[in-house]
Amino acid sequence: MIKKSVCRARLSLTEANPATLLEQLQQVLESGASRVVIEWVGPGLLLHDTALMLHDVFMQRQPGLHVHSHSHSCLVDGAILPWLAADSRSLRTDGWIELTHLPERPFSAPLGRGFPDAILLADEPPAETDFRLVCRHLNAYLLVAEIVGQRLFPGALREWGLLSGTSTEDPLAALFLAPAVREIPLSR
């Protein structure tokens, strides 16, 4: 029987340099392991552009790589997106996620003149464009219009199918304690 390798990394949501988070995430996803466990720590906030960048890296990972994402922190707005991009997810027992508001412009509003994905600079600041894109991606996982303005705790997230089973049911929970798990030293 071939033993599959598991790689584990702890990423800090307080990291101010997006290039550092990008490098750390790429490093663990390219580690050669067949399973990856990513733990998120720190206040659950990310710049929307950083969240979009991390989500894109998750979406481009090698086929067949199973990623489990566990958040030790509550997650707000864009910070939800990279957590959701994993194949399976867990959250601390008293954790929650929150989408604070919806973008000012609808997801499918016409954007620019002559180009379907163009935005006139005068129409929308960059941060709003990024937030709208975050919400568009979030909508692929859950209906943002139904969760906006609410804090969703593990019970509700489980009902939405976003969390793996309880810690006693979740086969990936054993990865957090398994001796075969190897930490990938993240460069600074």
Side-chain angles (χ1 to χ4, degrees), residues 38 40 61 66-71 75 80-92 97 141-142 157-158 160-166 170 172 176:
I38 297 176
W40 300 97
R61 69 183 179 267
H66 181 91
V67 177
H68 179 80
S69 188
H70 176 77
S71 185
L75 302 170
I80 302 168
L81 189 57
W83 176 74
L84 280 175
D87 300 305
S88 60
R89 290 160 289 293
S90 56
L91 182 65
R92 76 172 198 235
I97 68 169
Y141 300 95
L142 44 82
L157 294 171
R158 209 167 277 110
W160 279 82
L162 296 176
L163 290 182
S164 302
T166 64
D170 186 0
L172 287 173
F176 290 102

Side-chain angles (χ1 to χ4, degrees), residues 60-123:
Q60 294 183 36
R61 69 183 179 267
Q62 292 181 331
L65 174 62
H66 181 91
V67 177
H68 179 80
S69 188
H70 176 77
S71 185
H72 294 282
S73 301
C74 300
L75 302 170
V76 178
D77 293 338
I80 302 168
L81 189 57
W83 176 74
L84 280 175
D87 300 305
S88 60
R89 290 160 289 293
S90 56
L91 182 65
R92 76 172 198 235
T93 57
D94 62 349
W96 46 264
I97 68 169
E98 173 185 318
L99 184 63
T100 59
H101 64 285
L102 290 176
E104 291 179 21
R105 295 174 69 149
F107 299 139
S108 60
L111 301 173
R113 296 176 283 203
F115 301 99
D117 60 350
I119 297 171
L120 297 174
L121 298 178
D123 287 349

Side-chain angles (χ1 to χ4, degrees), residues 11-13 21-22 25 29 38-40 44-59 61 67-71 75-90 97 134-135 137-138 141 162:
L11 301 181
S12 175
L13 296 167
L21 273 175
L22 175 64
L25 182 58
L29 293 177
I38 297 176
E39 296 180 67
W40 300 97
L45 302 169
L46 279 176
L47 291 174
H48 301 311
D49 185 61
T50 302
L52 290 166
M53 174 186 69
L54 296 175
H55 180 262
D56 187 60
V57 169
F58 269 111
M59 295 295 98
R61 69 183 179 267
V67 177
H68 179 80
S69 188
H70 176 77
S71 185
L75 302 170
V76 178
D77 293 338
I80 302 168
L81 189 57
W83 176 74
L84 280 175
D87 300 305
S88 60
R89 290 160 289 293
S90 56
I97 68 169
V134 162
C135 287
H137 288 301
L138 287 175
Y141 300 95
L162 296 176

